[in-house]
Amino acid sequence: MPADQSSDFSYLAVVVFTFVGIAFIAFNLLLARLLSPSAPTPEKLTTYECGVQPIGDAWRQFNPRYYLFALLFVVFDVEAVFLYPWAVAFRQVGAFAVAEMLIFVGLLIAGLIFAWRREALQWE
Amino acid sequence: MSMQRLHPRSASQAREILIGVVIAALILAALSATPLLPWHLLDPIRAYFYERPLLNNLAKAVLLVSFMAVQCLFLIWMERKFAGWLQARLGPMHVGWKGVLQTFADAIKLLLKEDIIPALADKPMFRLAPYLVFVPAMLTLMVLPFSPNLVGFDYHLGALFALSISTTGALGILAAGWGANNKYSVLGGMRAVAQLLSYEIPMILIVLCVVTLKNTMSLTQIVERQAGLWNIVAHPLLMIPGALIFFSCALAEVYRAPFDLPEAESELVSGFHTEYSGMRFAIFYIAEFANNVFTAGFAAILFFGGWHGPVLPPIAWFTLKTLLLIFLMMWVRWTLPRLRIDQMMSFCWKLLVPASLILFCLTALSVVW
């Protein structure tokens, strides 16, 4: 089968595959519901905590470190969105494009060093 | 106890190894014979499907889903046998030859198990999470070229697509952890997301190095441009460190030891899928092993020439390379102890991220000069 060219290109495959994936899970869960027993008791439906009575629920404050790393991730992920088109186009522009990219990555490295010095990468 | 007792080398063991070698040789021979089969008889069927894109994609999708279910059964058996061998025990032995049908029995057992949703859970999110984990795993496998013809969706931005979709799997894991309203699950979900997002950065940068070298984002093109010379041989100074960083990230992306903090048994029971049972649990497992196949296959494509290789047909080479990389991941998993979360995060942000940034700059400079 010939490859999809960018000219006659469609995202039909993504839609169909997503749909088939959802259908596969739904079918399996339906099958399991038909075949498996269902006899819930209050004890069976308690939250599992190694036999100890759970105190309160689990939706509470969490470590703010996760938030800092999420912020850093966004910075570097957006950078990737810029660099991927650059990687397939910079041959046409030449050395100037490489110099620009080096400045861009240099800024990122400076940001990483800043975060490092401010102990944002420290996990305690 | 002497080493002789721990690792008995008997005549029966030699015979088992011989049987294994013969079976592997037979499978390879069968795969090598596939180009000789009368494939042209299928041409009318192919033409029929090619004229109907919807039907064509539907057939491919069904094929991929079946592949995902079957690879999971085989890989779990392989992992259990391998773990047994490393720990000087036998592993599954009773169902079928050398326990090869054990995972089929397990699948049937999971299908027949009661599906329990804890009373305190956020039920819509608890039900939604398996979909959010499984569908991204499937969409990443979709763009992976198994051979020149065998690819679900030959996308010209394949590398970028695969990376972005594989990150969305974190959403499903957080939904699973949060929806269960269990302290272990929430902690596991949080750790999973932090780990996946952090290790995504060096992974993206290493894939970017390959994209820069090969001047294309299409995975099939990346493989085709490695004909004759694999990336790791063609650019050893850039690609050997690149492959090592990629492999570390791949281990973290599929939550394998030493990076198995999200499901650390000794701390978090089972992490984000503690409260899942029956078929929903099985779906998490299928997605996990599908991610395993994807990262191993992705590494084979980026560094080891994908389907290229002498004598054997493309599909056999790709399968061999992927299986070998999965085997390597299992080996690491059953050898190394788990890292602490602070060690894991500083390994990524203080070593892998700067190293991959520098590697990317060097790659760009090497292309210009």
Side-chain angles (χ1 to χ4, degrees), chain B residues 134-366:
Chain B
F134 183 85
V135 172
M138 186 171 163
L139 289 183
T140 48
L141 273 180
M142 175 178 83
V143 292
L144 202 70
F146 287 72
S147 82
N149 298 321
L150 202 62
V151 46
F153 177 36
D154 191 1
Y155 189 16
H156 59 280
L157 302 176
L160 192 58
F161 179 83
L163 284 172
S164 45
I165 293 292
S166 74
T167 319
T168 52
L171 206 60
I173 285 171
L174 191 60
W178 190 261
N181 194 4
N182 177 322
K183 285 164 193 116
Y184 300 120
S185 300
V186 173
L187 272 175
M190 293 274 181
R191 284 184 181 185
V193 174
Q195 174 175 334
L196 198 104
L197 297 190
S198 300
Y199 281 82
E200 191 76 15
I201 304 292
M203 199 170 191
I204 285 173
L205 288 167
I206 295 304
V207 177
L208 188 60
C209 291
V210 179
V211 171
T212 310
L213 280 175
K214 293 291 149 188
N215 198 16
T216 175
M217 278 192 242
S218 152
L219 291 177
T220 40
Q221 284 296 315
I222 286 177
V223 179
E224 263 162 31
R225 291 177 194 185
Q226 294 181 62
L229 209 55
W230 302 350
N231 265 342
I232 198 143
V233 187
H235 315 277
L237 289 179
L238 294 170
M239 285 293 109
I240 289 174
L244 287 174
I245 295 174
F246 186 91
F247 189 70
S248 315
C249 298
L251 287 174
E253 297 270 303
V254 298
Y255 314 122
R256 286 192 155 255
F259 304 109
D260 64 342
L261 290 109
E263 35 195 292
E265 301 93 339
S266 48
E267 315 164 18
L268 296 181
V269 187
S270 184
F272 57 88
H273 53 60
T274 302
E275 291 288 2
Y276 282 87
S277 59
M279 212 54 214
R280 282 181 221 276
F281 174 76
I283 284 162
F284 279 107
Y285 245 77
I286 297 177
E288 192 178 319
F289 278 90
N291 281 331
N292 241 315
V293 171
F294 167 71
T295 41
F298 203 25
I301 283 166
L302 294 175
F303 305 109
F304 304 105
W307 63 70
H308 288 302
V311 187
L312 296 175
I315 180 74
W317 271 110
F318 186 77
T319 313
L320 262 179
K321 288 171 187 172
T322 308
L323 263 182
L324 217 66
L325 285 167
I326 292 175
F327 183 76
L328 204 61
M329 285 159 96
M330 289 179 179
W331 191 0
V332 172
R333 171 181 176 179
W334 292 98
T335 307
L336 294 177
R338 184 182 308 131
L339 292 175
R340 274 198 331 255
I341 188 157
D342 60 326
Q343 294 168 330
M344 182 197 75
M345 295 308 261
S346 56
F347 178 62
C348 175
W349 286 99
K350 296 183 180 172
L351 186 72
L352 295 185
V353 170
S356 52
L357 272 172
I358 291 166
L359 203 67
F360 168 61
C361 294
L362 290 177
T363 311
L365 290 175
S366 82

Side-chain angles (χ1 to χ4, degrees), chain B residues 45-123:
Chain B
I45 301 172
R46 273 191 195 172
Y48 181 83
F49 272 97
Y50 193 66
E51 280 162 18
R52 289 160 184 77
L54 189 66
L55 206 60
N56 189 1
N57 281 318
L58 207 62
K60 283 179 185 172
V62 171
L63 208 65
L64 183 65
V65 160
S66 340
F67 166 75
M68 283 171 79
V70 173
Q71 56 85 22
C72 176
L73 294 178
F74 171 72
L75 285 180
I76 292 176
W77 174 75
M78 174 173 149
E79 172 135 34
R80 290 180 66 179
K81 282 312 252 190
F82 180 62
W85 183 68
L86 270 186
Q87 297 171 346
R89 56 188 172 84
L90 291 171
M93 281 303 276
H94 289 290
V95 192
W97 181 76
K98 301 283 171 198
V100 74
L101 295 177
Q102 181 66 52
T103 38
F104 286 85
D106 287 344
I108 293 167
K109 181 196 77 177
L110 283 175
L111 195 62
L112 300 177
K113 281 274 180 187
E114 184 175 352
D115 178 30
I116 299 165
I117 301 180
L120 288 176
D122 181 349
K123 288 183 184 65

